[in-house]
Amino acid sequence: MTRTLPPQAWAATPGGGAVLGALDAANGTTRLVGGAVRDALLGLPVTDVDLATALSPGDVTKRLEAAGVQVVPTGIAHGTVTAVTPDLIMEVTTLRRDVSTDGRRATVAYTDDWREDAARRDFTINALYARLPGGGIDDWFGGLDDLGAGRVRFIGAPLQRIAEDHLRILRFFRFHSRFGRGEPDAAGLAACAARANDLMALSRERIRDELFRILVLPRAPETFALMLSLGVLKPVLPEILPARVPNLAALAAREAEWGAEPDPIRRFAALLPQRAGLGAEFGARLRLSRRDAARLDAFGIPDPLLPGDPHAAAYFSGVEVARDRLLLLGDEGRSAWEALANWEKPPLPVSGKDIIARGVSAGPEVSRRLQRFERDWVASGCPLDAARVDALLDAALG
Ligand code: ATP
Ligand code: MG
């Protein structure tokens, strides 16, 4: 790992240059912070550019607008504005310190002390600041050493930091999953285990977002095994049992082998008992979207058409649900999975009108016949040539 920031392509774009120039980055008035510094030092792609600045939000806005940069006051109440340029979007946040906290939200005040701004961040590896140009790093809490050693360590006393913001319990496991090597930091781990009940004070959306972000990580099985062994999830999701973790591990391996993107709902389903009604059960508890709840529901009930008849399964449940079910099913689903690779649901070549035209009088009988035709047509592989469609229609009306 380097100890200076490697050259950043975004900083050399006209938009990046304009923002850094307007906010006086060359003198250290504005610095790159957080995930962007951490990821760049590890040689990972930088996705979100977060800047910390000693300038007030009003001053930031004035300077950016004078430089022709569009400014959106996204979080102006807590000191964040978004700089929008054709090249990239950057978040600019004025240095802050916590005035009071209650486990869920913090009241903040602006400060001109960089160390204070660093001290309110969660982990040492997330509290690094980089000077641009040049790439010199400010590191008040040993974050560079921790990053190099793969240590996710709270800044300050873990119990106190968790009392300030309970979400840090889940963030500890998420960042350890991403960047940790070897055993997790013992004091941090013990504090997370001891305070697991505090998670219940958080909104379900925030818990869901963190858990789903952990679920799609490459080391999710290991991390869930760790959280479950410490009882961290018991207060919020007692249904998840350690015995289901191998199922998640098998799914993760299968996704990699079959070329499927990790998906949080699919991975979540792998950890749950197989039973009807999962969508209703967890949809409300985790504030899932209607669509995600419906997918979860589908994963609780095996589809008798799989793996034997993938096209019929996909026709009735949708390609995505069928493919997800196959991934969850196991290796016997592989060829059915391949069979659905570029498959699209064909349109039903017959309508109620065609059935009426053949002498069935309008009414419920029409839809009964149509359903029968659909079932037989799908079972025959959805043929579209007229002769076969006719023959199937004859059979459905006979
Ligand atoms: P990611 O790649 O997951 O976005 P990140 O480090 O950018 O990682 P964010 O959640 O985007 O994480 O937060 C940006 C920065 O804000 C963090 O690096 C950290 O310094 C600080 N931060 C975010 N959430 C908290 C928190 N709950 N407590 C303390 N500091 C936090
Ligand atoms: Mg981020």
Side-chain angles (χ1 to χ4, degrees):
M1 192 195 74
T2 67
R3 295 179 82 92
T4 37
L5 204 75
Q8 296 293 295
W10 62 265
T13 63
V19 170
L20 293 173
L23 302 181
D24 196 24
N27 286 318
T29 309
T30 297
R31 303 173 199 174
L32 187 66
V33 69
V37 179
R38 180 196 67 218
D39 293 353
L41 288 169
L42 291 173
L44 301 171
V46 168
T47 46
D48 298 327
V49 172
D50 289 321
L51 299 169
T53 185
L55 303 168
S56 71
D59 204 2
V60 169
T61 305
K62 224 169 15 193
R63 286 169 176 241
L64 289 177
E65 282 175 350
V69 173
Q70 191 198 336
V71 182
V72 185
T74 37
I76 194 79
H78 49 264
T80 303
V81 303
T82 302
V84 181
T85 75
D87 302 297
L88 79 160
I89 291 171
M90 286 155 274
E91 301 243 294
V92 185
T93 304
T94 299
L95 300 184
R96 297 176 299 188
R97 62 185 164 82
D98 288 341
V99 176
S100 67
T101 54
D102 65 0
R104 285 172 293 187
R105 61 189 76 77
T107 308
V108 295
Y110 300 134
T111 173
D112 54 11
D113 182 345
W114 289 85
R115 193 179 188 284
E116 266 190 329
D117 186 78
R120 70 182 290 277
R121 296 174 185 273
D122 44 9
F123 307 111
T124 62
I125 60 170
N126 286 349
L128 299 169
Y129 297 70
R131 316 267 187 135
L132 294 168
I137 305 288
D138 299 305
D139 174 18
W140 287 278
F141 304 104
L144 278 171
D145 286 342
D146 285 344
L147 192 59
R151 277 192 304 261
V152 176
R153 207 162 49 82
F154 281 96
I155 296 171
L159 282 169
Q160 185 197 328
R161 303 312 311 280
I162 290 170
E164 291 166 6
D165 179 354
H166 311 322
L167 197 69
R168 291 173 187 156
I169 296 173
L170 296 178
R171 288 177 63 90
F172 176 81
F173 290 100
R174 177 156 69 86
F175 285 104
H176 180 72
S177 195
R178 284 173 73 190
F179 304 110
R181 286 200 301 278
E183 291 298 310
D185 175 68
L189 197 65
C192 290
R195 303 310 306 175
N197 277 331
D198 292 352
L199 288 174
M200 287 191 291
L202 297 175
S203 78
R204 299 157 195 215
E205 288 87 344
R206 292 181 79 200
I207 293 179
R208 177 203 60 210
D209 285 351
E210 273 304 317
L211 286 178
F212 280 15
R213 290 170 84 171
I214 300 173
L215 270 171
V216 295
L217 293 174
R219 283 163 54 189
E222 188 189 312
T223 304
F224 270 81
L226 178 65
M227 289 192 290
L228 291 165
S229 73
L230 294 167
V232 169
L233 297 179
K234 222 179 198 136
V236 289
L237 286 170
E239 295 83 355
I240 298 186
L241 302 176
R244 296 287 290 171
V245 171
N247 201 40
L248 173 64
L251 170 65
R254 217 173 287 125
E255 286 168 347
E257 200 186 318
W258 298 7
E261 279 297 312
D263 173 273
I265 294 284
R266 188 202 299 132
R267 287 194 168 191
F268 187 50
L271 287 171
L272 297 178
Q274 285 254 291
R275 61 173 178 242
L278 293 182
E281 207 177 326
F282 294 96
R285 284 233 319 266
L286 293 178
R287 302 268 192 274
L288 299 182
S289 69
R290 209 181 273 265
R291 177 173 171 277
D292 283 346
R295 289 181 66 214
L296 199 56
D297 239 355
F299 302 154
I301 319 158
D303 184 343
L305 292 168
L306 292 173
D309 201 346
H311 294 128
Y315 183 88
F316 291 115
S317 310
V319 180
E320 192 198 15
V321 164
R323 293 195 105 203
D324 281 335
R325 277 179 159 147
L326 288 163
L327 275 162
L328 285 162
L329 196 63
D331 291 337
E332 68 267 35
R334 179 72 187 256
S335 64
W337 158 272
E338 306 281 355
L340 291 178
N342 294 306
W343 193 82
E344 270 175 51
K345 181 177 175 168
L348 191 66
V350 161
S351 72
K353 274 198 201 128
D354 301 312
I355 293 189
I356 293 168
R358 293 218 179 188
V360 177
S361 36
E365 186 61 14
V366 174
S367 77
R368 263 199 297 278
R369 297 286 176 172
L370 191 60
Q371 272 175 24
R372 183 165 161 203
F373 168 81
E374 185 179 44
R375 193 191 59 210
D376 297 347
W377 176 73
V378 172
S380 312
C382 308
L384 292 172
D385 62 297
R388 291 201 57 204
V389 169
D390 266 357
L392 284 162
L393 189 53
D394 286 344
L397 296 177

